[in-house]
Structure formats: structure tokens, C-alpha cells
Amino acid sequence: MQQRKMMSLWSVRLWCTASVLIWLVACNLKDDAGQLSNDGDVAFDGDFLDVDSSPQATCDDDVKNAQESGVDCGGSECEACRTGESCREASDCDSGYCTAGVCVEESCADVTCGDDETCYRAVCYLSCDGADACDPSSRCYEGVCLPLDCSATTCESDETCYRGVCYAACSGDASCPEEGAQCLEGSCVVATCTDGLQNGAETDIDCGGSECEACAPGKACQEEGDCRAPVAGEWSVCDFGESTCAQVGTQERTVVSYSCGDSQICEAHEELETRECTRTTEDEVCGETVVGEWGACQGAGEQGVCSTQGQRRRVITSFACAQGSCEVVEDEEFETCVLDTNAQACGTPEAGAWSACGGFESVCDTTGARSRTVTYFECGSGTCAERVDTETEACSRVTQGESCGEVSYGEWSACEGFSGVCGRTGTQSRTVTYRECNGGACTTRTSSETQTCTRNTDGVSCQADAMGEWSACSYATECSTSGSRTRTVTEYDCLGGSCAQSSRTETDTAGCARNTVGVSCGTTSYGGWSTCGGFSNACDTTGEQTRTATDRVCSNGTCSSVNRTEVQSCTRSTNGSSCGTTSYGGWSTCGGFSNACDTTGEQTRTATDRVCSNGTCSSVNRTEVQSCTRSTNGSSCGTTSYGGWSTCGGFSNACDTTGEQTRTATDRVCSNGTCSSVNRTEVQSCTRSTNGAVCGEGDTYGSWSACNYSSTCDTSATRTRTKYTRRCSAGSCSTTTSTVSESCSRNTNGTTCGATTYGNWSSCSIVPICEFSTKSRSVTTRTCSGGSCQTNTSTEWANCYYNAPNPGQECP
């Protein structure tokens, strides 16, 4: 059954590969409809098959898809998976047992293996997914690497082991119940394409021959059919280079063919196929349209200096393909605009006379200012109007040397300048400070004034005293500690303004003090020697003994008796005596355990005894041993296995990019002396990208601004408001602002847009007696009409005078 399924799958693969190759040759992979230009046999002018679309999943497409838990097995549609294949639940497995995502036999239902291991018959082995995943001393069978020597395999009573796998026991080929089985070394072995052995018609392990799938490069072969069929890659996207308007391009694909080489090994050969492809680019946009900036607003036609009517221009440049190249098209665009003539000169300024210089900041300030009026003629609201302004300029004056503050006096200095130490008459000075203008600022100028002063010098020393030599010291006895000596002193002092001389005798006792302590003043006497002692340690053989010596020496000025001790060395024997306390080293680490979880072992320490030998204290070592225990609860006794990480979660807000995920870790730890499995949860941080996600209040808007009409008669304008966009950026909610505009309009017809002006009155007309005469003048008004300011002229009439009759004449 397994061989038939493998052949069926291989046939499907060949058919699918051939179909894809035929379709790729027939199709232009460009998004636009096109044709192949190298043969002209196939043309398209409609929709193309979506290359990215996937074929409908089946249970024999050799792909893990749809609801399958393994490749073409498991789930609700396909047959159950065999041992060693992937599963999600027990129903996915033909054995009825799913452990750690792998179908296992009943013996492995409660066995937990490491990350790279799979259970087979209650034992964990290294996992594998093909013959090349195991070393030469093992075979890949049901997803595990089994040793070929059967050393780790335990079979049932009616089974025997062959190359690491348990088969039904046999005594010959005829005793095997399965069709095609061979009795090898007492085992009924059926050759399959997934048993991890090279048997049957295979040319290499599980590949080649008439029944198994073709071999990969590097595997053994006997003929071309033992190696894989050619595989063509997809055609690349048609490459038209960097030209957007190019209509002819190329596309390529890689074709891998396989052959059985001279050394009977499957070899792979790659070839690159290239073909032409075309497309239509006429009138395609080949560059971004460039809208130029509006030029400056300029006057349109002959108008007055202050006219606001103008026109501006801009150039719009577009790019389109034509006959395979990119052509440039330029268009001009014009629009009316409002000239800003406000403040523009429309006449020559007229200046008045300068005022007097003034505005000084201080008494010494030399710089002031003066002003005058200037009448400017400037445009405003389209007409020429007067503007009166004040113009100022700097002016100056002379303040040099003028007083700007009061005179101040400093303190008189000490009296000085005397003639000698005994002089009585000297001088003293003080500083006078004046405040005067200098260079426009108030500055300080100082001078000095002096006066005569006196002092009293009588009794002041006017020369250093002259000292005679000291006489010799005189003592009462040989042990006396104090005596005396004398000398003559000559002194010099001021008297009546001059230096006078006098003499005196000086006596000193401090200079005659002496120390007589210890000075011999008689004969020394001696006592007897003491017992030998004063040894430095228990083993010391050399000691010392003492006696008293009495000397006659001076003390406190008198002759006294002073005792002192004399010392000499002596010896003894100490060999074999104890000379110290036994010391102990630290107990060694408890060891000698039978396994990782054993709690009872032993430890040792060194004991050091101290004994005298040849006068020194020596150390003698010995070893002590005792039993010890340890607590292994919680200690590691095996490899930790891990479950898959959970989905990243636990984010604090919509923009938070850092969360956490968990997985189960199964530790092998000691518990009461045995090795057990203990589960724990590991947590790690994880991230996500939230850039661009909506956050906070999302998009909000401010209030509309007032409509900004350019003139009194303008009927259209724009108004704006602020848009607040809140999006996630770098893990936080950021707000950006932009301006949103919309048009607004109003009716200005009839609105006054300028001052009413009047012409001169005409002369009064001549009328008959008793009638009123009339006069007229023109009246010009400016009102808005159709968005612009229009001028309307009318005539105003008024009575002039009454043509009265002559005296005595009556009106008819």
C-alpha cells in the first residue's frame, strides 16, 4: 500500500510539473495583456491566470495544507497519520496517541522527550525527517534515528530485531504473513520506501528503482530514471530596464535537470533560459506631472498706478510615452489675481521743517533728536491717498568740562616723612574727587592735597641694644642642676628729638640649667643570677637569667642609688613535647554520590598536630573521614524541554509595541532522591509594529476660520480649519496637524466700495422774472457689481437764485 501511494504521489508531481511548464511557456507574466515575440504562436488579449493562486488542497498533493496535521494525513478529510508524523489531537493518529505534536505508539503516550527527540517504543531518540538526518550507525524509521545494532531496542516475545526495528519473528520467507516480506536474520522484513534502509529495488536509501521516488543529487543511481525529473522555475517578471516607455523586454527562468553521472551518482545541472516579451506603452504616463509655481501677479493692460486688477501665469509639464520614448508636454495656465498696491507710492513725498534739538538723557549727553512731518502719497484700496508720518533724526551739543556732580574729600593719610626715628615733624595727604562731563558722560577726576603734622618720640628706641659677653656659669655642687651668669647691656632711646645712650647689668639663670641625672657619683654593687627562663615558645631551647646591679648616680640634683637588671643567655632540651593545639582543615565538599539525585555521600578533612623537634614546633598531618548528606530536591537531573511560545499579548494600549509571551518549560529535577519532571512557565518580551494605527480620538477638527475675501467686492474666498490626526508612532500616540480648506461665497452687489465724489456746480441758468434759476453737477458713486467695484455717474440739480422783479413790479 505504501509503495503504491508513493508512486501515485510521484505521478501527480510529474503531471503538475509538466502542467506548470506548459502554462509558463504559454503566458506573459506581465500584468498588462501582451504576446510572446519569439514564436508568434500564442497571443493573449484578456485576463491572465493568477500565478499566486493556489490549487485546491488534496490528501495526495504531497503538501501539508487545508486541515491536515501532517503531510497528506490527519484532520477531518485525510486518513490518520502514521507513527512519527505530525498531529494536533489523538484522532489525527492511526495509533490513537498524540504526544507533543507527534503520533506515537501506546508505549510512548506518557513519555516526554526533548526538543530534538521523538519517542519510539517508550524510549526517546533523536528525531529525523529523512535518511540523511541520521549518522551512518543508525537509520531513520518512523521519525526517529534507531541504532542499527539493536542495542537499545526491546521487542515483544513474538518479535525479533533487525537493524534496530522490531519485526514479526520468522524461520523462512514462507513463514512471513505479509506479501513480499523476506525473512532476514529471523525477522519478517518488508521493503518500503520509508524504512531507512536500502532494500528492494532501491538504488539508495528509500529512493531510486521502479517503486520509490527519484533520488536527490548525491544519491546513488543506475540509470537516468533513478534521478529526479527536470524542474523548471517560474519565468521572471518581464524586465523592460529603467525605461517606462520600452515596449520590448526579456524574462528568464532557471531549469534544473538531473542525470546519473559516470560514478553512478545523481548530479544536478542548472541552465538559464531567456525569451522576449512585449507590452503596449503608448500614451502611458512616464513621469510625474510637474505643476510650476504661479508667477508674480502683474498688471493686465493699461490701468492706473493704484489699480488692483492683475493676472498671473504658471507652466504645467507632463510626460507621456510615444513610440517607445518619453515625451515632454508643456501647457500654460493663466488666472486673474489681485495686485497688492497698498502702500505703493503714487506721488512725491513733501517734508516740513526740522524741530529744535532735544530729548537729551542726562546733563552730559551730547546726542539728542529732532523731528519733522513728511506727507506721503500712497495707494490704498485702489486709490491714491495721503499719509502723514513723523520723521526723526539725531542731533548733538557740546558738554565737555561742565560740572555734573558735587566735590568729595577723602580721609587724611597717616603722618609720615619724619627725619629719622626721633624726628617730630612730618606731612599727611588726602584725595579730592571732582564730577565733570567728558565725552558725553559724567566722569570722575581726582587730585591730592597735603598738610603738616607732628608726633612725640621721647622714649622710643632709636638703635638696637648692645649686648656684652655672658660670664661662666657658677654651680653649688657636682649634682646641682641650676647656676647663674651675667653680662652688660647698652640701650639707645630718643630724647628731645635726638638719640641718647645708657647702660645696665643683666643676670641669667636659664642659660645655666643642666641635666645631671645619671651622672656617676660612686661605686656599683651586684646581686646573684636568677633561674634560667624567658623561653619564646614551648619548644625553645635557649632562654635567659638576670641579676641586679646598683649604681651611684645624680638624681634631682643629689647623689642617689639606682638599681638596674643585667641579662645573660641559658639553654634546655624540648624534643617530643606538645607545642600547640591540633588544627583542622575544612570538610571537603560532600561527594561520592551514586547518581545526580543521591542524597548520602562522604567528606574528608585534614587534622594537623603541633610537636617539638630540634627546638622548633613542627606540623604533622593526618586525614579524618565522616559521612554526609545533601538535599537534591530541585536540582537538575536532565535536559529541559520547551513548549511553543504563546501569541504575543498583554499590551498596555493601542500603540504599545512591547508585550509578552509565555511557554511551558519542563525541567528534569530531583525530588526525594529520584529524577522527576516539573513544569514551569517562562515569560519573555515580544514586540509588534503599531506605526500608522489609529489611536486616541482618531481624526478631529478645529473651528472654521473666517472667510478671507481679498477685497470689499470679492464674492469668493476660502476658509480653513485644523485637522488633528492621531496615529501610533514609535510606540506612542502622536498627533499631527494639517490644514483643511473649503470655498465660501457671498453677495456683494450694491455694497459701497469707494468714496462718493462730486463735480463742480455749473453756472446758474438765466430764467424769466419771478422764477428760480438752476445749476447742476455730476455725482460719482462706487458700488460692487458682479464681484468688482463699478463706477456710476449721475447728475444732481439745485436752485441757484430767485430772479426778483424790479421795485414796484409784480410777478404775473
Side-chain angles (χ1 to χ4, degrees):
M1 175 64 184
Q2 180 64 27
Q3 291 89 333
R4 288 197 297 273
K5 180 179 178 182
M6 294 303 295
M7 291 301 294
S8 175
L9 290 176
W10 181 239
S11 299
V12 170
R13 283 200 199 95
L14 289 175
W15 182 87
C16 290
T17 302
S19 299
V20 171
L21 287 174
I22 292 170
W23 179 82
L24 286 174
V25 170
C27 295
N28 184 341
L29 298 184
K30 182 67 179 176
D31 291 338
D32 300 329
Q35 62 181 10
L36 300 179
S37 62
N38 57 345
D39 54 27
D41 293 336
V42 182
F44 296 92
D45 192 17
D47 296 334
F48 289 93
L49 181 65
D50 185 358
V51 178
D52 294 330
S53 62
S54 301
Q56 184 176 2
T58 67
C59 294
D60 58 359
D61 57 7
D62 201 27
V63 178
K64 179 181 177 182
N65 48 26
Q67 301 298 318
E68 299 169 359
S69 63
V71 177
D72 295 338
C73 67
S76 59
E77 301 293 335
C78 301
E79 64 182 16
C81 296
R82 296 180 295 106
T83 302
E85 295 185 316
S86 300
C87 60
R88 289 186 289 268
E89 53 190 22
S91 61
D92 291 331
C93 306
D94 57 9
S95 66
Y97 296 96
C98 178
T99 299
V102 178
C103 290
V104 297
E105 298 174 340
E106 182 178 2
S107 62
C108 292
D110 297 324
V111 177
T112 301
C113 297
D115 288 345
D116 298 327
E117 297 178 329
T118 302
C119 177
Y120 175 74
R121 295 210 172 196
V123 179
C124 291
Y125 297 93
L126 183 67
S127 301
C128 61
D129 56 4
D132 294 335
C134 301
D135 60 47
S137 64
S138 58
R139 63 188 281 199
C140 185
Y141 184 80
E142 294 188 359
V144 301
C145 290
L146 293 177
L148 294 173
D149 59 3
C150 294
S151 60
T153 305
T154 303
C155 298
E156 301 294 335
S157 59
D158 58 346
E159 295 177 326
T160 58
C161 177
Y162 175 74
R163 299 293 180 93
V165 177
C166 292
Y167 297 94
C170 63
S171 58
D173 291 348
S175 65
C176 293
E178 297 174 279
E179 182 181 352
Q182 287 182 289
C183 187
L184 301 175
E185 299 179 11
S187 298
C188 287
V189 179
V190 179
T192 70
C193 296
T194 58
D195 59 6
L197 299 174
Q198 181 182 347
N199 47 25
E202 300 169 358
T203 60
D204 209 322
I205 298 174
D206 293 341
C207 73
S210 59
E211 296 183 348
C212 298
E213 66 179 15
C215 292
K219 297 292 186 180
C221 60
Q222 296 177 358
E223 56 185 24
E224 297 295 326
D226 292 331
C227 300
R228 291 180 178 175
V231 177
E234 294 184 355
W235 286 106
S236 65
V237 175
C238 195
D239 182 10
F240 296 96
E242 298 182 356
S243 174
T244 304
C245 298
Q247 296 181 335
V248 178
T250 59
Q251 56 185 165
E252 59 186 27
R253 68 175 179 180
T254 300
V255 178
V256 182
S257 59
Y258 303 90
S259 64
C260 188
D262 295 338
S263 57
Q264 302 297 297
I265 298 296
C266 287
E267 299 174 349
H269 310 277
E270 285 191 1
E271 294 182 358
L272 189 65
E273 290 187 357
T274 305
R275 69 180 183 185
E276 284 189 349
C277 47
T278 62
R279 65 179 177 183
T280 299
T281 61
E282 201 69 20
D283 296 329
E284 289 277 338
V285 175
C286 54
E288 293 187 5
T289 298
V290 179
V291 179
E293 297 290 334
W294 284 108
C297 191
Q298 298 178 344
E302 296 181 0
Q303 300 176 29
V305 175
C306 296
S307 174
T308 60
Q309 296 180 13
Q311 186 183 62
R312 62 179 182 173
R313 167 186 172 274
R314 69 178 176 183
V315 176
I316 300 176
T317 305
S318 58
F319 304 86
C321 296
Q323 299 180 350
S325 61
C326 191
E327 291 192 353
V328 180
V329 180
E330 290 189 350
D331 293 316
E332 287 185 325
E333 184 177 11
F334 296 89
E335 72 172 11
T336 59
C337 56
V338 177
L339 285 170
D340 183 10
T341 59
N342 287 338
Q344 182 175 310
C346 55
T348 303
E350 297 177 356
W354 287 109
S355 66
C357 191
F360 300 101
E361 295 182 356
S362 64
V363 173
C364 297
D365 190 12
T366 60
T367 303
R370 62 178 182 172
S371 63
R372 67 178 177 181
T373 58
V374 181
T375 303
Y376 297 93
F377 299 92
E378 298 174 340
C379 295
S381 301
T383 62
C384 189
E386 292 184 2
R387 177 176 63 85
V388 179
D389 198 0
T390 300
E391 182 181 23
T392 61
E393 72 174 9
C395 53
S396 62
R397 67 177 178 180
V398 176
T399 61
Q400 188 72 21
E402 293 188 12
S403 175
C404 57
E406 294 183 356
V407 178
S408 60
Y409 299 90
E411 295 293 330
W412 286 108
S413 66
C415 197
E416 58 187 3
F418 301 101
S419 58
V421 176
C422 297
R424 293 183 174 184
T425 303
T427 59
Q428 59 184 165
S429 62
R430 66 177 178 181
T431 300
V432 182
T433 303
Y434 303 91
R435 301 281 290 166
E436 296 174 345
C437 293
N438 183 17
C442 191
T443 60
T444 299
R445 179 177 63 84
T446 60
S447 64
S448 180
E449 66 179 14
T450 60
Q451 68 177 10
T452 302
C453 53
T454 60
R455 66 177 179 178
N456 182 14
T457 60
D458 288 348
V460 173
S461 176
C462 54
Q463 186 178 324
D465 293 345
M467 306 293 182
E469 294 294 328
W470 287 107
S471 64
C473 290
S474 174
Y475 299 98
T477 66
E478 62 180 354
C479 289
S480 295
T481 59
S482 61
S484 64
R485 60 181 180 173
T486 61
R487 68 177 176 181
T488 301
V489 178
T490 303
E491 297 176 338
Y492 301 88
D493 296 318
C494 293
L495 181 63
S498 60
C499 194
Q501 172 182 327
S502 61
S503 297
R504 61 182 176 84
T505 299
E506 183 178 47
T507 301
D508 173 51
T509 57
C512 293
R514 66 177 180 178
N515 182 9
T516 59
V517 174
V519 174
S520 177
C521 57
T523 305
T524 300
S525 59
Y526 299 93
W529 289 105
S530 66
T531 304
C532 191
F535 301 101
S536 61
N537 53 57
C539 297
D540 190 13
T541 59
T542 301
E544 62 181 20
Q545 55 188 170
T546 62
R547 68 177 179 181
T548 299
T550 303
D551 297 318
R552 293 288 290 169
V553 292
C554 294
S555 176
N556 295 325
T558 61
C559 191
S560 304
S561 296
V562 177
N563 294 330
R564 57 183 175 84
T565 302
E566 290 186 346
V567 181
Q568 72 177 8
S569 63
C570 52
T571 60
R572 67 174 180 175
S573 176
T574 59
N575 284 343
S577 301
S578 174
C579 57
T581 305
T582 299
S583 61
Y584 299 91
W587 288 107
S588 66
T589 303
C590 198
F593 301 102
S594 61
N595 55 55
C597 295
D598 189 12
T599 59
T600 304
E602 66 178 20
Q603 58 186 165
T604 62
R605 71 174 179 181
T606 300
T608 303
D609 297 321
R610 299 286 289 167
V611 222
C612 294
S613 176
N614 297 324
T616 60
C617 192
S618 302
S619 297
V620 178
N621 294 333
R622 55 189 173 83
T623 301
E624 293 185 349
V625 181
Q626 72 175 10
S627 63
C628 56
T629 60
R630 68 175 179 179
S631 173
T632 60
N633 288 342
S635 299
S636 175
C637 57
T639 304
T640 300
S641 59
Y642 300 90
W645 286 106
S646 66
T647 303
C648 194
F651 301 100
S652 61
N653 55 56
C655 295
D656 191 11
T657 59
T658 303
E660 64 179 23
Q661 55 187 167
T662 61
R663 69 175 178 182
T664 300
T666 303
D667 299 319
R668 296 286 289 165
V669 293
C670 297
S671 176
N672 298 325
T674 61
C675 194
S676 304
S677 295
V678 178
N679 291 333
R680 58 184 172 81
T681 300
E682 288 188 346
V683 181
Q684 73 174 8
S685 61
C686 51
T687 60
R688 64 175 179 179
S689 176
T690 60
N691 287 342
V694 176
C695 57
E697 301 176 37
D699 296 340
T700 58
Y701 298 85
S703 300
W704 285 109
S705 66
C707 289
N708 185 21
Y709 296 99
S710 61
S711 65
T712 304
C713 297
D714 195 7
T715 60
S716 61
T718 58
R719 63 176 182 172
T720 61
R721 66 176 176 177
T722 301
K723 178 181 180 181
Y724 300 91
T725 303
R726 297 171 181 84
R727 297 290 186 273
C728 295
S729 176
S732 62
C733 193
S734 299
T735 302
T736 59
T737 60
S738 58
T739 301
V740 179
S741 303
E742 73 172 11
S743 61
C744 48
S745 62
R746 65 179 178 179
N747 182 9
T748 60
N749 288 341
T751 302
T752 298
C753 56
T756 299
T757 59
Y758 299 89
N760 295 324
W761 286 106
S762 65
S763 301
C764 292
S765 60
I766 300 174
V767 296
I769 295 174
C770 296
E771 291 187 9
F772 286 97
S773 180
T774 61
K775 59 181 178 179
S776 65
R777 65 177 176 179
S778 63
V779 179
T780 303
T781 59
R782 292 180 62 79
T783 57
C784 297
S785 176
S788 62
C789 194
Q790 303 293 329
T791 301
N792 303 301
T793 304
S794 61
T795 302
E796 181 182 24
W797 294 88
N799 291 328
C800 276
Y801 66 92
Y802 175 70
N803 189 4
N806 294 325
Q809 185 180 4
E810 295 179 0
C811 289

